[in-house]
Amino acid sequence: MIRNTSLVLLMGTCTFAWADDAAVELSATTIDGQREAPSGVQLDEPIRTGSRLGLTARETPASVSVSDRRVIEARDAKDSQDVINAMTGVNASANPGFGGFVTYRGFTQNQVTQLYNGINLGYSSATRPVDAWVLDRVELIGGPSSFLHGAGSVGGSINYITKLASRDQQTFDGRLRYGSYDDSQVAFGINQALASNPADARHFVRLDFSRDHGNGYIDRNERQTDSLAFSLLSDLAPNLTHTLALEYQEDTEDSPYWGSPILPGRSTMKIDKSRRFENYNVADGRYEQRVRWLRSILDYQLSDSTSVQNTLYHYDAQRDYRNLERYSYTSDGNVLRSSPYLQRHEQKVLGDRIELRHDNQLFGLASQWSLGLDYSHMRQTLYPTSGSWSDVVDPDHFDPGSFDDIPGVNAGLTKQRRNEVTNRAVFAENRLQLTERLALLTALRYDYLDMQVTNYGTVTPTSPAWFERRWEPLSGRIGLTYALTPSASVYAQYSTSADLPAGSLAAATYSNVGLFDLSKGEQWEVGSKFDFLEGRGAATVALYQIVRKDFAVRDSVNPNLTVQAGQQTSRGIELSGRLQVTPKLLAEANYAYVDAQYDEFNEAVNGVSVSRKGNAPTNVPANVGNLWLTYILTQDWSVGMDARYVDSVYADNANTLKAPAYTLYGAFARYRLDEHTTLTGRVRNLTDEVYAKQAYNTQYYMGAPRTFELALDLRF
């Protein structure tokens, strides 16, 4: 099952720390001595993504992975992709053309829902990496979860939760970082009570800002990101609070890197290492993103057993692309550059969610309820312009040229399509304590989706001037949790989901959805969560099977037609654990294996429908593992190492082209200057491994080489 000796060594080093609820993410001990180390594996801390009832991971009959602020800081995660790549079974990359690409449990892109503070934007391109500085925690639930978060999420749901004002009187956090390729960060966060007498404070404000800049490990590639988060917490009455949250992110990237052409004639992808850092994009290639969030959160405690929360939110984003995106070698060793593309996304989402929580008794048994209504309206306008222009350049010396000189795409933006999706939903969740040890968790959600698409381009039978689709999916979960002992439990669950047969809600075309129903997904999962060795260790394990049915495939008789007949099955196991080996040595590890394959899938090849039955989906690694070791040398000094293994992946549906597996190693040393100040030096990709974070067609999206960084952290 494991096909690489480096993975065997990686996991064998930590056999004492096996298992994860398919991943309750292992909270690392903070080494700077400024915070108390967390106990256990966060099995007994409330989570938001696996349930609406405020249950702990131990109480939830599902695989739930959590990385809180302590984990993010201990591992020096730069952005949200760093955070989720440390979670069990997740493999993510940030290729500009694929936004926040994620693969999990055998599924990719829109089949894994990425939420922001529990809000679903319905579009994977809206999930580009977020600066880790503004994140409070990230949570992951494995498998179908439409019953919690709406249409989508057959593979799982990832929830990025940002920092909010707290009732702390005054805190200050700051970070300065500098590393290879001029990678730098300046960040600070302030939490302040708004009162001359702190004891009388009723209003609390928080401000976080971060600026990241880097010249990039690829030639002529420069990126800058500004992130700002502001929130105001107000105690309006003893039982009524309001939180106003505003967040802004701006990304600018010059001459974005779209990948490296692979050497031809090989089934295993390989690049010319002498041209490892070459950028074949035009000199004025560009990617820009501006994102604005506004949330108004009202919490009302009606009684000790009943509470109501209302969240009103607005999202506004604009994304711009102008690039030359495809590269391949010619027979004489030159590089063919093609696929010029100009694009703008204008996306707005307005929504409101009201939720009632109530604890009572049902049939004399302890019972917890969550009932709610969800409404959102999303509008996205797209301005794509592509061209057939191409050129051939000598890779040893060439003029990258200008996008403005490429005919067919240099005339400016042209509006092509507008998608409007209105979603109305009602949901309910219940936990019933059947016996002292056995609990039943059930959930049900009904969605009413109304999609209207306006085509401003050429009208054809497959691209009408306007069309409307409506769906009414019903999804749910039923699960049992049994406490073997106070520190060990087992669970079993069945859950379902519904998602589009192709594309996403925010960008679906008539060809994507046609007259199709939504695709259906279902999962069976069993697992266990437990502490061991008198609390020195904790672990979780999960086994699952997911079947996704009725997604869009080519007709086996007429490849010019699309029918709804596809099916994919994913089976896997996920393990994670944490062990305080000695008072000074902490070990953490996670591992996931997935067997994902198409049961039915046809692809058009040169006008002929070809079956891909039995093939694996692209960019899905069968094995993914992580390992961390941290050793406290003295009260002020600590050191550590980490390793990450990602199995080989296929780059095409025919499974004839494969990107090789890779193992990355890292190391750090941390020194506490005083009770407020910590200095950390870190090396990433210690062996300077050449590897593909993502593979597609004839291109190899290379990961970062060996890098060094130094960071100064302040906390008052």
Side-chain angles (χ1 to χ4, degrees), residues 588-660:
E588 303 168 274
N590 58 49
Y591 165 71
Y593 168 77
V594 62
D595 175 17
Q597 64 178 24
Y598 293 117
D599 304 314
E600 183 174 351
F601 178 48
N602 300 320
E603 183 180 27
V605 180
N606 297 322
V608 178
S609 181
V610 178
S611 173
R612 302 304 188 194
K613 181 179 180 180
N615 287 10
T618 60
N619 281 293
V620 173
N623 296 277
V624 177
N626 292 289
L627 168 68
W628 299 268
L629 296 174
T630 304
Y631 189 78
I632 301 175
L633 295 170
T634 68
Q635 182 177 356
D636 297 327
W637 278 98
S638 60
V639 296
M641 62 82 64
D642 59 82
R644 173 172 173 80
Y645 174 81
V646 179
D647 211 346
S648 58
V649 299
Y650 289 109
D652 61 345
N653 290 325
N655 286 185
T656 59
L657 193 59
K658 178 185 292 187

Side-chain angles (χ1 to χ4, degrees), residues 306-495:
T306 307
S307 63
V308 176
Q309 182 182 84
N310 188 84
T311 303
L312 175 68
Y313 58 90
H314 184 260
Y315 169 86
D316 187 346
Q318 179 176 301
R319 295 175 287 274
D320 286 282
Y321 307 78
R322 43 173 289 161
N323 299 283
L324 188 59
E325 301 178 2
R326 299 285 292 276
Y327 327 113
S328 61
Y329 281 108
T330 62
S331 58
D332 57 2
N334 290 321
V335 172
L336 173 68
R337 306 190 304 168
S338 61
S339 297
Y341 193 55
L342 178 70
Q343 171 70 292
R344 169 173 289 178
H345 302 163
E346 293 176 345
Q347 185 177 6
K348 299 180 187 296
V349 182
L350 176 65
D352 188 80
R353 180 172 60 234
I354 185 168
E355 182 177 345
L356 173 70
R357 286 267 304 275
H358 180 61
D359 298 341
N360 66 349
Q361 287 203 339
L362 185 64
F363 309 120
L365 304 174
S367 176
Q368 298 168 266
W369 286 94
S370 173
L371 307 168
L373 301 172
D374 212 339
Y375 168 85
S376 68
H377 178 80
M378 186 278 300
R379 171 185 288 190
Q380 174 155 279
T381 307
L382 302 173
Y383 298 77
T385 302
S386 60
S388 58
W389 179 91
S390 64
D391 72 349
V392 176
V393 299
D394 181 346
D396 289 326
H397 47 80
F398 66 94
D399 179 1
S402 171
F403 191 87
D404 291 334
D405 295 333
I406 300 177
V409 294
N410 57 7
L413 294 168
T414 301
K415 182 162 62 173
Q416 183 189 79
R417 191 170 70 252
R418 185 181 68 211
N419 287 52
E420 293 191 62
V421 180
T422 302
N423 185 23
R424 304 172 182 87
V426 57
F427 56 84
E429 187 176 10
N430 176 258
R431 184 177 190 269
L432 188 63
Q433 194 70 43
L434 299 176
T435 71
E436 184 179 352
R437 294 188 175 190
L438 182 65
L440 172 68
L441 186 68
T442 54
L444 199 63
R445 179 181 174 112
Y446 164 79
D447 287 90
Y448 180 85
L449 291 166
D450 183 0
M451 170 184 286
Q452 300 181 28
V453 180
T454 303
N455 174 24
Y456 298 100
T458 303
V459 176
T460 68
T462 57
S463 296
W466 181 89
F467 73 91
E468 182 178 21
R469 289 303 321 276
R470 293 175 179 173
W471 299 281
E472 299 182 50
L474 185 68
S475 53
R477 171 174 71 183
I478 182 169
L480 287 169
T481 302
Y482 184 77
L484 299 171
T485 69
S487 61
S489 65
V490 294
Y491 70 87
Q493 64 124 315
Y494 171 78
S495 59

